[in-house]
Amino acid sequence: MRADEEVGVAVSRRGLLRWTGAAVVAGGAVAAGGAPAGAGPGRWARLRAHLGGELLLPGDAGYDTARLPFNSLFDHHRPAAIARCVRPEDVQRCLAEARRGRLRVAARGGGHSYAAYSTPHDGLVVDLAPMNDVELRPDGTAVIGAGARLGDVYAALAAAGRCLPLGNCPSVGIAGLTLGGGLGWVDRAFGLTCDWLRAARVVTTDSRLITVSEDREPDLFWALRGGGGGNLGVVTSFEFATAPVPEVLTVFRMRFPAGSAADVLGAWQPWSAAVPDHLSSTCVVLPDGSVDLTGCSLGPEALLLGELAHLGVAGPLEHAEVDYPTATAIMTQGHPPRNAFRASSRIADGMWDDPAAVADTVRGKDSALLIVGALGGAIDRLGPTDTAYPHRGAPTSVEVFGTVGDLPPEQVTREVDDAQSALARLIGTGTYINYLDPEQDDWAETGYRHNLRRLRAVARRYDPDGVLRFPQSVR
């Protein structure tokens, strides 16, 4: 794969803001699982008879399309059944059947689970996609069905003159994004998606439908904000506070040539941590050491240009002022294609000692590249134990991403794993739980950190029988 193709993959996969105002892809995951599956035709007939939506079995029309995960590396996964849920009662019935027969079960919103945990090989998929309504109340509260995808959420909010910090990929589901925390393109200005959550409707593993908030089931509400998808119950809808849309945004892009990564990263990280909260930015570092720096500033272009003057490195700059509805309309044009990939992440404990070594983690590789995002700002207005998301105070996130393409999948896996292991030694061992990596042995301790013990206690309380299990479930 050529370097320019790798840039295109990164842009279409992780949401790098183009100078036109477009923001394209980010990852999020709704994942769940259970005990070994086993289901006879009688069980499926009983479930089908009680569902408001349809139940798809192998051989049914639509099954082969519905079963496909976003990551085509896992296209061999064939669930035993897919329940297309249209109401909370459908979810209740699915969990009752799963509990009765110790059936593997997985909740799926957008289907973007990096390891396809939301589309397991065998078992029952609780597909929430039909539950995708977006309602804006007069007070600005947004009530969003768990099957809604970000493109539809952005469009509905923008039409009402409201905004919410969300991810950059229009096909990612609101559920997985929120439950894992919710990194996105304006998070330094507004915080994480989960920080705006005010209540959620949840079906617990004993098939109760409950509403959780700060004063109703507060432990579960705490866990839903960053504890990862599919761990504690199946959320059927979310209630968010929203903010008025910004009057204007300025988006920008700077490109730096091969071999410049050490200098760019060395200048960018302290700059990105020091700029005002209104400015967010991301660097894509390619194996040849070239860098694509993109970002978004809330406000007019003069405000952005004043901050860029202090960056310390210079490259060709593209920028444009756009209004918020225009920006969201651009970023929701179409969906990124499914593709086969491997990905992992690390979150920095502090400022890097050796930016050249960070860049070298992917130098000369055939597939792996780095997507380096600025954190801080409004994300840190909450403390590291206020929600289950533990990485408040971290300055930087680094995603290692590798597209398979024509390469052997095992080579891409090795390149990504080598890079994330090196980053753990260089910058810190934190990981973003929405970027679940099957090869990462320390994912629980580094994804949840000091919140892991409390999170596991909440999981034991709300799922005492372990109905919701998958290879990287919190239990």
Side-chain angles (χ1 to χ4, degrees):
M1 180 176 285
R2 303 190 315 270
D4 60 337
E5 290 175 330
E6 292 183 288
V7 172
V9 168
V11 169
S12 66
R13 184 74 192 98
R14 288 290 304 117
L16 305 178
L17 295 174
R18 295 177 180 169
W19 71 272
T20 55
V24 225
V25 184
V30 182
R43 173 175 295 133
W44 300 136
R46 181 171 60 246
L47 181 56
R48 178 175 273 149
H50 290 91
L51 285 180
E54 61 181 336
L55 183 70
L56 298 175
L57 304 177
D60 289 346
Y63 169 85
D64 281 330
T65 298
R67 71 173 179 83
L68 294 176
F70 182 80
N71 188 348
S72 61
L73 196 65
F74 300 95
D75 278 359
H76 59 282
H77 284 197
R78 296 185 63 83
I82 302 170
R84 302 272 293 170
C85 298
V86 300
R87 57 189 182 181
E89 292 84 357
D90 291 348
V91 179
Q92 290 175 289
R93 177 62 64 171
C94 288
L95 288 179
E97 289 292 347
R99 191 175 63 254
R100 175 186 299 166
R102 293 192 58 76
L103 183 68
R104 184 184 299 273
V105 61
R108 184 173 71 185
H112 275 248
S113 170
Y114 274 19
Y117 292 140
S118 58
T119 308
H121 189 55
D122 69 42
L124 171 65
V125 173
V126 179
D127 188 357
L128 302 165
M131 302 173 66
N132 59 4
D133 290 345
V134 181
E135 174 194 353
L136 270 295
R137 294 175 178 166
D139 66 355
T141 299
V143 181
I144 304 175
R149 297 190 174 201
L150 300 189
D152 296 327
V153 177
Y154 271 122
L157 292 175
R162 310 297 295 181
C163 73
L164 177 68
L166 298 170
N168 308 320
C169 174
S171 60
V172 161
I174 187 67
L177 177 76
T178 303
L179 297 173
L183 298 178
W185 62 305
V186 291
D187 47 17
R188 294 193 78 256
F190 290 104
L192 304 177
T193 308
C194 73
D195 298 344
W196 292 71
L197 185 65
R198 296 298 176 262
R201 294 276 278 169
V202 183
V203 177
T204 58
T205 59
D206 58 359
S207 293
R208 292 181 299 132
L209 178 62
I210 61 176
T211 299
V212 302
S213 64
E214 287 280 11
D215 55 4
R216 291 176 290 182
E217 312 281 349
D219 285 341
L220 180 55
F221 184 65
W222 172 87
L224 292 178
R225 290 174 292 161
N231 277 313
L232 302 150
V234 179
V235 179
T236 61
S237 66
F238 300 85
E239 184 176 308
F240 294 98
T242 65
V245 296
E247 291 186 8
V248 66
L249 298 87
T250 303
V251 293
F252 70 94
R253 183 175 192 174
M254 299 178 73
R255 300 182 184 184
F256 299 90
S260 63
D263 290 338
V264 174
L265 290 181
W268 171 83
Q269 198 199 39
W271 174 83
S272 68
V275 294
D277 296 356
H278 65 75
L279 202 164
S280 298
S281 58
T282 299
C283 291
V284 172
V285 180
L286 294 176
D288 66 356
S290 60
V291 179
D292 201 3
L293 168 60
T294 56
C296 172
S297 175
L298 274 63
E301 60 183 15
L303 197 62
L304 167 69
L305 296 177
E307 296 299 335
L308 286 176
H310 302 297
L311 176 58
V313 289
L317 172 65
E318 300 168 290
H319 62 90
E321 284 187 15
V322 293
D323 61 45
Y324 189 83
T326 298
T328 58
I330 292 171
M331 67 177 287
T332 54
Q333 290 178 358
H335 296 295
R338 292 190 322 115
N339 62 92
F341 62 90
R342 288 290 192 182
S344 191
S345 72
R346 290 295 176 186
I347 292 181
D349 292 331
M351 305 305 288
W352 302 331
D353 294 326
D354 191 347
V358 172
D360 282 349
T361 59
V362 294
R363 183 164 62 91
K365 297 191 183 304
D366 293 320
S367 173
L369 52 83
L370 303 180
I371 303 170
V372 188
L375 301 178
I379 297 172
D380 296 344
R381 293 174 191 168
L382 293 178
T385 61
D386 289 341
T387 67
Y389 176 85
H391 306 298
R392 314 282 181 176
T396 312
S397 69
V398 182
E399 182 182 5
V400 187
F401 188 85
T403 300
V404 172
D406 296 328
L407 297 171
E410 58 273 15
Q411 176 186 340
V412 179
T413 297
R414 183 175 64 255
E415 290 189 356
V416 169
D417 193 49
D418 287 349
Q420 68 88 12
S421 297
L423 287 168
R425 297 188 295 271
L426 290 168
I427 69 172
T429 57
T431 57
Y432 180 40
I433 207 64
N434 272 349
Y435 301 158
L436 281 172
D437 173 10
E439 303 298 317
Q440 205 169 44
D441 294 333
D442 63 354
W443 63 271
E445 292 76 13
T446 62
Y448 298 119
R449 295 198 151 180
H450 46 269
N451 291 329
L452 179 60
R453 183 175 179 179
R454 180 181 176 186
L455 191 57
R456 283 179 166 161
V458 177
R460 286 192 296 270
R461 176 181 170 190
Y462 285 92
D463 184 14
D465 299 321
V467 174
L468 297 174
R469 280 191 176 273
F470 58 102
Q472 289 177 313
S473 63
V474 70
R475 293 177 61 93

